[in-house]
Amino acid sequence: MRIGRAGGPADIVVETRGEVVESAREYVRGQLAALARRLPDSVTQARLKLTAFTRPSAPVPALVQANLTVGGIGVRAQVAAAFLPEAGKLARQRLREHLARLAGAGHARPWQGTPAARWWSQQPAAPRIVRDKSYQLTRCHPGEAARTMDVMDYDFHLFVDDETGEDSIVFRIGPTGYRLARLRSLAPPTAPVDVPLTVNVHPVPSETTDTATTWLSTCTDLPFRFFKDTETGRGTVLYRRYDGDYGLLRGR
């Protein structure tokens, strides 16, 4: 639904899932509107997705996803918390940090470690793949992929490495918080990278979606599985969703 003006150049489109009360919706909307009013660049799109989970397998009750298009560039924050107002306030702060990075005033995104207890300890006994998305992967340098991962608030980003032409992934893990994995190459990028990027030293597995699902259901290290799909030969990511089920991203 479209709700009022953002107080700036863009309306805020708000989508709700679950039992989201009016006061919580307006509070989160107000947080995003206040941020949009203070931005020097034009905000051409502003969207909110508010989710109140009731499923016992969901690790947290509330999830806020906020998206802005500022000066033609998309910025996203996704925050889970005990309550929607709390998540909304944190999402606003995270958007500000992402915008600072785009402007060159911010540092690499801090890495807080893998949130194991928040994720798979509460997953359903038999998680389902409830989202299967195939899209044309962006071809770019690993450093650009890392920046996209940061400003879009992803834990990983699937792309095509322009140095090797391989389906690749940057993801959040390890002592530096940034790691690169390609389907074949284990060498570091030749061009400079402006984040402390490490390179995965283990070959990416070639397997079926079923095998990846079995692996992820028992994994305690990562909330996703990057693999080469034996049917398509393309890089694919099976990942855990906030509702406890799985999603699948495929390159094409």
Side-chain angles (χ1 to χ4, degrees), residues 26-66:
E26 286 305 301
Y27 180 88
V28 178
R29 177 189 172 277
Q31 289 289 312
L32 188 60
L35 175 62
R37 282 194 297 267
R38 289 166 173 77
L39 295 179
D41 295 321
S42 173
V43 177
T44 56
Q45 188 177 50
R47 293 183 292 113
L48 278 171
K49 182 184 294 184
L50 312 180
T51 304
F53 294 113
T54 57
R55 182 174 173 176
S57 62
V60 285
L63 179 67
V64 169
Q65 183 186 116

Side-chain angles (χ1 to χ4, degrees), residues 123-198:
Q123 73 176 26
R128 304 162 298 159
I129 297 176
V130 297
R131 187 178 191 225
D132 188 340
K133 181 179 179 181
S134 175
Y135 67 103
Q136 188 71 39
L137 301 183
T138 300
R139 188 182 183 101
C140 63
H141 182 267
E144 295 176 70
R147 186 180 74 161
T148 298
M149 178 177 65
D150 278 353
V151 301
M152 294 302 288
D153 214 17
Y154 298 150
D155 289 325
F156 61 85
H157 182 49
L158 185 62
F159 69 106
V160 175
D161 180 11
D162 64 359
E163 288 189 0
T164 65
E166 299 173 51
D167 290 351
S168 306
I169 187 175
V170 288
F171 57 101
R172 305 285 291 164
I173 198 174
T176 69
Y178 295 86
R179 187 166 295 174
L180 167 69
R182 304 185 185 99
L183 284 189
R184 294 178 300 277
S185 176
L186 302 180
T190 57
V193 181
D194 58 2
V195 295
L197 187 73
T198 60

Side-chain angles (χ1 to χ4, degrees), residues 226-247:
F226 176 49
F227 63 101
K228 179 181 178 180
D229 192 310
T230 55
E231 293 184 4
T232 66
R234 299 301 304 267
T236 303
V237 182
L238 179 73
Y239 64 95
R240 301 177 192 272
R241 294 162 45 94
Y242 273 98
D243 59 10
D245 279 318
Y246 293 161

Side-chain angles (χ1 to χ4, degrees), residues 52-127:
F53 294 113
T54 57
R55 182 174 173 176
S57 62
V60 285
L63 179 67
V64 169
Q65 183 186 116
N67 293 266
L68 290 176
T69 302
V70 183
I73 299 174
V75 184
R76 170 184 178 270
Q78 181 167 272
V79 179
F83 302 100
L84 283 170
E86 177 188 0
K89 186 176 181 179
L90 293 172
R92 175 186 175 181
Q93 177 60 34
R94 194 171 294 181
L95 284 173
R96 290 178 61 186
E97 293 168 356
H98 295 342
L99 290 165
R101 291 186 186 95
L102 279 176
H107 301 288
R109 184 157 57 114
W111 171 236
Q112 304 299 327
T114 303
R118 196 183 70 194
W119 284 95
W120 45 91
S121 62
Q122 302 180 54
Q123 73 176 26

